[in-house]
Amino acid sequence: MPSASDTTSAAPAATTTSGRSTFDRVLLGARIVVLAAVAVLVLTFPSLAADPFILSVGVVIASYAALAVSWNFVGGFTGYISLGHAAYSGLGGYATALLITRADLNPWVALVVGAVVVGVLAVPIGIASLRVRGASFVIVSIALVLILLLVAQSWASLTGGAQGLRVPRPFGEDVLRPEQHERFFYLHVAFVAVALLLWWAIDRSRFGMGLKAIREDEDKAQALGVPTGAYKLTVFVISAFMTAMAGGLYALWFGYLDPIFQFSILIGSYMVLMSLLGGIRSLFGPVLGAVVVGYSLEFFKVHYGDSQFHLVALGLLLAVVVLFMPDGVLPAIGSLVDRFRPDQRTSIREMTAEELLEHNQRLERSEATPVATPHERDLETVPSTEEKR
Amino acid sequence: MSGSLLLQTLILGVLLGGLYALLAAGLTLYFGVMRVVMIAHSAFLILAAYLAWFFHRETGLDPLLSLLVTVPLFFGVGYLMQRGLVARLRPATLTMMSVLLTFAIALTIEGLLGFFFSGTQRRINLGYSGTSIEVLGAHVAVVKLIAFGLAAAALAGLFLLLKVTRFGQALRATIQHPEAARLLGINTDRIAGFGFGLGLATAAIGGTALALDSTIYPSLHWHWIGPLMAIIVVGGLGSIPGAAIAALILGVGQSLLQIPMGTTWAQTVFYVALFATLLVRPQGFFGGRLAQRF
C-alpha cells in the first residue's frame, strides 16, 4: 500500500544531498532553456511565417490555446469536465460584437465588458450546474450549448439568426490583413501568457489547494472545512470570464459570427481534447495540446476539407487519448523524468483517493494469485527509506 | 385553438413521446449497468436510420425488414463496445471518461456517415408515406403510427425481457447491487456487456422508426442528444419507468408548445425541464436513490 513513506523509486540509493540537487538543477536549467526557446520561437513566428495563410493558422492555434487554458481553470483544478464551454466563448463573441454595433463601445472596452457580462451570467448557471457532479454536470454543460444555439438561431432580430453577425474590425480599414494577423497573434499570445500566470498563481495558492482537494475527494474536502460550493463557483466564473474573453478576441479577429460554429459542441470538445492530451494537471499541458490538436485540425481541414474526415480523425484521436493516456502527455513525461531521479522522492504522489483504493484492491486481488505484475511487485517489495538507513 | 387541433396535437405528442421513451430507455440501461452516459446513443440512432434508408434504396423492400439485420448487429456492437472499450476505463474516472469516449464514438460515426453517404439530406419514400387515418377527428400519418407501434412493441418486449427471463433478473440484479449479484454467481461483466448490447438494439429499432418519418442527415444526432439527455435527468438517471413517464410528458409538452411558440422555441421545454429538475430535485423526479450522485 503506497504511502508517503514508501513511495521511493527503485533506482540505486547511493546518492547524496548534493547529487540530488545537481539533478534538480540540471532539470531546472533544461526547463528554462526549453521555455526560452519556445518563447523566442513564438515571438518570432510572425516574421518567420512564409505567408499570411500560415500566419492566420498561427492565430487560430493561439486562439485554441487561449480557449484550452481558460477551460483548464475548471477542468484542471476541480476535475469537472465541461463539454459546453463553447457557450461562454460564443457568448463572449456575441457580447463583444453587439456591444460594438449596438452600444457603440470601443472594441477593446467591449471585449472586457462583454467578458464581465458573461462572467455575471455564469453565476446562476454555475449555481445550477455545480449542484450535480459527474455525468449530470456534463449533460448540463452540453444542454447549455444547445439552448444557446437555439436562441442565437431563433432570435434573429438581435443575433442576426442563421445569417450570422458581422463584427467591425478594431484596427480600421487601412490596416492590411497580414498586419492584422500579426497584431492578433501577439494579442492572443499575451492573453495566453496572462491566463497561464493566473493559473500558476491559483495553483500555488490556498484557494488552489482547496480546489485540488475537491478534485481528489469532494466529500472529504468538505468535511475538512473547504468551502466547496464557493470555491467551485469562483473558479467556474473565472473560467467563464477567461473563455468569454478568448471568444471575444477571436470574434474581433475573424470579424464574423455564425451561431452554428460559435455554439458548437465541437468547439467545447476541442478544448477538452487539447487539455486532456497535454495534461490537465500541468500548467503548459493545454498549450501543448492546443498546438498538436490545432495543427492537426488545420491540416485535416486543408487536405480533407470537403469530406467529413476531420470528424473521424478527431473522434479517433479523442478515443485514443481517453483510453491510453488520460493523464496527458506532460505528466507522462514528468513521471518519466522522475524515474531517472536519483531517489528521495518524498513528496506525496498525485494519486487520487479513488485511485489509491483501486490500487489497493488490485494488490489485494494479486495477493490471492502469487504472481504480481512487475509494477505492483516494485511497490510492494522495495524497502522504505527508513529501512535502508 | 380549436378542439380538434388540440386533440391532434395531443395524439402527435403521445406518438412522439413513445419514440422518446424507447430511446431514453436505452440510455437509462447503459447508465444502470455501467454508470455510463452514452453520448453516442443518438449517433447510433442516425446510423440505424441510414442503414434502413440504404437498405430500402438498394433492395426496394420495406425498411422495417432491415431490423432483421440491424438489431442483432447493434446488439453485437454494443457488447463489443462495452467489453472492449468502456470496461477498459479506470473505475475512478469512469463516468467522466465514458462521456468523452462515447462522444468520440459519436464524432467518428457522424464523420463516417458524412464520408460514405455525404451530407445530403435523405428521406425514405414509401407507398404509404403520404396516407393518414382519421382518429376521433384528428389526422394522423400512418408512418407515425407505425413508428409508435414499433416503439411500443420494443418497450413492451424490453419490459418482459427484464421482468420474466433469467437474463432480465440477472441484469436487474446487476443494476441494483453489483457486488451482491456477483456473490450470487452472476457474471456481472458479461451481463453489463449484454445490457449495453440491449441498449444499442433499442437504438436500432428507434432509428428505423425515425427513418420512416423524417429527413435524415449525419449531424442530426445533435438535435436528439439534448432532449434525450434531458429526459433521463428529469426521469432520474437509471430508472426506466422514470424515463418513460418523463418522455411522454415532455413529448406532449413539446407538441402543445409548438402551436403558440413554433418548433424551435418549443424545443426549449426540454432544457427548461432539465434545469428546473436540477434546481428542485437533482436526483430526478421519478428516479430512485441510484441517481443521487450522478
Side-chain angles (χ1 to χ4, degrees), chain B residues 31-50:
Chain B
F31 193 83
V33 287
M34 277 301 283
R35 300 288 181 281
V36 163
V37 175
M38 169 86 162
I39 305 278
H41 189 72
S42 55
F44 276 104
L45 181 73
I46 306 303
L47 178 64
Y50 262 96

Side-chain angles (χ1 to χ4, degrees), chain A residues 295-308:
Chain A
Y295 181 80
S296 16
L297 278 175
E298 292 301 309
F299 180 85
F300 283 129
K301 274 180 195 157
V302 169
H303 289 267
Y304 308 97
D306 293 334
S307 70
Q308 294 291 316

Side-chain angles (χ1 to χ4, degrees), chain A residues 5-11 13 343 374-388:
Chain A
S5 62
D6 64 11
T7 49
T8 55
S9 69
D343 201 6
H375 174 64
E376 285 163 354
R377 218 164 34 226
D378 276 356
L379 283 167
E380 273 180 319
T381 54
V382 168
S384 69
T385 344
E386 286 79 12
E387 281 168 347
K388 266 184 274 177

